[in-house]
C-alpha cells in the first residue's frame, strides 16, 4: 500500500533529512558538567541530575512509544525538539539546581520521544524499504560528523561566553523544529487498521 504519492514522499524525505541532520542533541554534552559546576552545583548534585535522567528514560520509554503510535511520529519528533530547546533555555536563563533538574526531565523526554520515532517515520515513508538502511545510516553518519566537528569548538565558544553553546544549540535545533513541523504526520495504528 502506497502511503504517499511520489511528490509528497520526496518532499517529506527532504524535510526529514534536514530534521535528522540538524537535530544535534549532543552539542552541549562536552560543557554541561563544567557549566553546572560553574553555576554552583556540587559534584553530588551533578550525579543526582544524571541519575534522574537515567531513571526517567527507563520509565518513560514504553509510554512515549505508545503515544507515538497513537498520535503520530511527527508529533513525537516535534515534542522531542521542543523539550530539547526548552531544556537549553531553562538552564541558560535560570541556572539553579531546580532548573537543572527540570532540564534533565526535558532531556529525558527528548530522548524517549525521539527514540525510534524518527527511524519508524523514515521506514514508513519509504516505498522501497531496502533504501531504509542506506538512508538511515547516511543521515546518522552526517549527524555524528557535524556533532563531532561542532563539539570540538564548543569548548572554545564556552570560553568566549558560557551561553554561546546553548544559543548555538537552540538555534540549530530551532531549524530542526521547522523541518519537523513541515512533515506529514503518520499514525501507526491508522496504518495497521487500513492494511
Amino acid at each position: 500500500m502506497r502511503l504517499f504519492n511520489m511528490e509528497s514522499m520526496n518532499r517529506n524525505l527532504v524535510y526529514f533529512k534536514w530534521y535528522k541532520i540538524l537535530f544535534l542533541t549532543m552539542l552541549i554534552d562536552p560543557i554541561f558538567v563544567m557549566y553546572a559546576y560553574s553555576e554552583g552545583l556540587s559534584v553530588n548534585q551533578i550525579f543526582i541530575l544524571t541519575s534522574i535522567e537515567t531513571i526517567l528514560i527507563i520509565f518513560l520509554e514504553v509510554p512515549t512509544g505508545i503515544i507515538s503510535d497513537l498520535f503520530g511520529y511527527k508529533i513525537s519528533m516535534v515534542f522531542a525538539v521542543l523539550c530539547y530547546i526548552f531544556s537549553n533555555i531553562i538552564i541558560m536563563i535560570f541556572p539553579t539546581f531546580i532548573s537543572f533538574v527540570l532540564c534533565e526531565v526535558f532531556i529525558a523526554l527528548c530522548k524517549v520521544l525521539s527514540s525510534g520515532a524518527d527511524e519508524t517515520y523514515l521506514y514508513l515513508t519509504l516505498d522501497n524499504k531496502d533504501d531504509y538502511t542506506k538512508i538511515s545510516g547516511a543521515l546518522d553518519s552526517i549527524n555524528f560528523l557535524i556533532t563531532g566537528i561542532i563539539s570540538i569548538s564548543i569548548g572554545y565558544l564556552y570560553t568566549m561566553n558560557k551561553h554561546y553553546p546553548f544559543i548555538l544549540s537552540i538555534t540549530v535545533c530551532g531549524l530542526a523544529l521547522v523541518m519537523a513541523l513541515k512533515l506529514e504526520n503518520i499514525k501507526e495504528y491508522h496504518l495497521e487498521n487500513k492494511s
Side-chain angles (χ1 to χ4, degrees):
M1 179 189 81
R2 180 181 283 268
L3 183 59
F4 301 115
N5 63 40
M6 190 56 77
E7 180 185 344
S8 178
M9 184 182 80
N10 288 337
R11 186 174 58 245
N12 249 5
L13 277 174
V14 169
Y15 294 147
F16 179 83
K17 287 175 182 178
W18 279 109
Y19 159 82
K20 190 78 171 163
I21 290 168
L22 293 167
F23 192 25
L24 305 172
T25 58
M26 297 182 287
L27 277 186
I28 62 164
D29 287 2
I31 55 96
F32 183 81
V33 171
M34 189 167 40
Y35 178 74
Y37 194 72
S38 76
E39 293 299 337
L41 271 67
S42 68
V43 173
N44 285 341
Q45 287 174 318
I46 294 169
F47 286 147
I48 289 168
L49 291 175
T50 307
S51 300
I52 289 170
E53 180 186 331
T54 303
I55 290 166
L56 285 172
I57 288 171
I58 291 167
F59 284 104
L60 294 174
E61 185 72 37
V62 173
T64 53
I66 293 168
I67 289 169
S68 294
D69 290 342
L70 290 176
F71 299 104
Y73 301 106
K74 170 188 173 174
I75 301 297
S76 192
M77 291 187 292
V78 166
F79 278 108
V81 180
L82 286 172
C83 286
Y84 187 75
I85 290 170
F86 190 68
S87 72
N88 279 258
I89 290 171
I90 195 167
I91 60 171
M92 185 175 70
I93 296 175
F94 307 107
T96 65
F97 177 67
I98 297 301
S99 297
F100 275 91
V101 169
L102 284 174
C103 168
E104 291 297 342
V105 169
F106 283 106
I107 288 285
L109 280 170
C110 164
K111 289 180 179 178
V112 294
L113 284 167
S114 62
S115 171
D118 52 359
E119 297 299 324
T120 305
Y121 188 93
L122 175 61
Y123 185 80
L124 293 174
T125 301
L126 294 170
D127 269 347
N128 183 2
K129 304 304 184 193
D130 294 334
D131 290 340
Y132 166 77
T133 306
K134 180 175 68 174
I135 294 171
S136 178
L139 290 174
D140 284 341
S141 296
I142 293 167
N143 182 282
F144 288 135
L145 178 65
I146 293 170
T147 300
I149 292 168
I150 294 176
S151 292
I152 293 168
S153 60
I154 285 294
Y156 295 110
L157 278 177
Y158 183 81
T159 59
M160 291 191 292
N161 183 314
K162 64 183 176 181
H163 293 135
Y164 283 173
F166 298 98
I167 293 167
L168 176 64
S169 184
I170 291 164
T171 303
V172 173
C173 288
L175 294 172
L177 178 62
V178 171
M179 295 299 113
L181 288 169
K182 290 178 175 283
L183 294 170
E184 293 187 34
N185 200 13
I186 299 174
K187 299 178 186 178
E188 178 69 10
Y189 80 94
H190 180 69
L191 294 173
E192 287 173 355
N193 289 340
K194 281 193 165 184
S195 57

